[in-house]
Amino acid sequence: MKINNYLYGLFFIGITLLGCKENDVKIDNSNSNLEQYTPDQADWTTFDTKPFEGGTNTSHAPNGVGWLTAESWGEAEWDGTVYDPTTMSQDKFADCLCPSGDQIRGIREVFYKNNPFEDVNKPTKAEVDEWHRIAINHIRALVGYTSEDRQIKKDHCLFARALWGDQRKFTTIWDEKYPGENGTAYGPCQGSANAHCGASFIPDLEDQISYLPEGHDGCSTQAGAEGVFSGPKSNIPWSIKFSRAFCSTLRAEGFWGGHTGPWFHREKFGFSFWDNDPSNNNNNAILRAKWGGKLMPSLYCNPDDNNADCES
């Protein structure tokens, strides 16, 4: 295995002390008094109803996903193995972490250990936000990232910025007050094919207030990254809706891909899901992911990067 020299000892000390078994990860089974990060203005009406319209699904929990069998979930269990992307092909690594496009290895067990949704037929925004935090940290555990400094955190400004980006991209509610060059990162965006249109749009402090908790500081542009993922569907239950975004990107780009990296290495995140065609039950639910905070170094050295400081 090739690992960055200066992190070699730290990596294996962390694995030894913290362990890589699923049972070794601290679990908080309480979902009471959760803080909501997705703003109230995010319209999740169709995400509550579409998964049940065809009769395939019975809940937003993994066991309620109609097309995923008990056998497939059994094959997707995690035995605690830490997967090293330097020791296998890109496709094999994707197979290890994502046995199918909708199933991240071990995610079902993590869901039922945490029981993040009090009502599995209608989880709250706060519960879904927290579930995504838990799920991303589980993804990181699959590659041995279990130390405290590797745990992702929710961020109010990143959640708000993700929604503002979607509102700018898919609506005109901000266009009159905030003109700009159409199709740019700032917007407006009507008719633009730029998936990241709206990425840098942030309304003024007065317009931010209703999107943020009382007394929260205003949001501004910070160092970070954005990923726009079209894989999720509006009719997929919440427990696995995000999975296609991660799994399809991992398979296409590999561990060191530009859109894959933040799932493993950014300190903070904010998600926005957008249904641009509420009348279509099979419509995509675009995930705009904002990543910020500290960018942690990869503990796995890319063997295809000739400039990397690696040890054989």
Side-chain angles (χ1 to χ4, degrees):
M1 178 175 72
K2 295 183 177 181
I3 300 179
N4 296 347
N5 278 334
Y6 72 101
L7 292 168
Y8 185 88
L10 176 62
F11 175 63
F12 284 101
I13 290 172
I15 292 296
T16 301
L17 294 178
L18 294 170
C20 59
K21 294 289 185 181
E22 192 173 11
N23 291 337
D24 292 332
V25 179
K26 285 187 177 180
I27 300 296
D28 180 4
N29 288 309
S30 173
N31 61 352
S32 61
N33 300 317
L34 287 175
E35 186 174 3
Q36 179 180 317
Y37 283 74
T38 295
D40 288 336
Q41 291 86 343
D43 185 359
W44 283 10
T45 304
T46 59
F47 299 143
D48 290 336
T49 59
K50 281 187 176 182
F52 305 113
E53 288 179 3
T56 300
N57 306 307
T58 58
S59 78
H60 283 282
N63 287 352
V65 181
W67 68 90
L68 297 178
T69 65
E71 181 181 6
S72 71
W73 281 119
E75 293 173 351
E77 290 180 356
W78 185 41
D79 63 4
T81 298
V82 171
Y83 297 102
D84 176 358
T86 70
T87 64
M88 61 189 80
S89 69
Q90 180 172 312
D91 283 343
K92 178 62 176 176
F93 183 70
D95 288 340
C96 287
L97 268 63
C98 295
S100 80
D102 292 322
Q103 292 168 302
I104 295 168
R105 189 169 300 282
I107 202 70
R108 177 185 175 277
E109 290 71 39
V110 171
F111 182 92
Y112 286 107
K113 279 187 176 181
N114 286 272
N115 289 318
F117 303 160
E118 184 173 350
D119 181 353
V120 294
N121 291 314
K122 193 174 182 180
T124 66
K125 287 177 177 175
E127 290 172 337
V128 173
D129 296 341
E130 175 65 1
W131 168 237
H132 288 145
R133 183 195 67 82
I134 293 169
I136 295 171
N137 284 329
H138 170 68
I139 289 171
R140 296 180 176 196
L142 292 173
V143 297
Y145 288 175
T146 56
S147 58
E148 184 60 33
D149 61 343
R150 295 274 172 180
Q151 304 304 293
I152 202 161
K153 305 174 183 67
K154 296 170 286 189
D155 183 87
H156 281 293
C157 280
L158 292 179
F159 273 85
R161 287 192 59 199
L163 178 58
W164 292 329
D166 276 346
Q167 290 176 332
R168 186 67 150 168
K169 169 68 176 175
F170 296 110
T171 78
T172 60
I173 64 173
W174 299 109
D175 291 2
E176 183 176 353
K177 183 173 181 179
Y178 300 95
E181 182 180 350
N182 196 70
T184 62
Y186 181 80
C189 302
Q190 293 306 294
S192 172
N194 177 10
H196 291 280
C197 189
S200 65
F201 174 72
I202 300 177
D204 63 29
L205 293 178
E206 182 179 359
D207 286 337
Q208 292 183 26
I209 292 174
S210 65
Y211 289 80
L212 299 169
E214 184 177 357
H216 195 284
D217 291 339
C219 303
S220 59
T221 302
Q222 303 290 332
E226 176 181 273
V228 177
F229 307 95
S230 61
K233 292 281 189 178
S234 56
N235 61 4
I236 294 179
W238 274 119
S239 61
I240 65 165
K241 188 185 293 290
F242 78 98
S243 299
R244 287 191 186 182
F246 171 73
C247 290
S248 62
T249 305
L250 179 68
R251 187 165 296 279
E253 297 186 358
F255 178 76
W256 296 280
H259 294 92
T260 312
W263 291 88
F264 292 101
H265 300 114
R266 276 290 178 182
E267 178 188 11
K268 301 176 181 179
F269 82 104
F271 281 176
S272 174
F273 291 84
W274 192 274
D275 185 356
N276 199 35
D277 187 358
S279 65
N280 180 1
N281 181 262
N282 197 40
N283 190 47
N284 293 75
I286 306 300
L287 166 58
R288 186 182 293 253
K290 289 286 190 182
W291 311 96
K294 186 176 181 180
L295 176 62
M296 295 294 289
S298 174
L299 296 185
Y300 296 98
C301 189
N302 186 351
D304 295 327
D305 184 354
N306 294 327
N307 296 318
D309 180 18
C310 302
E311 179 175 293
S312 300

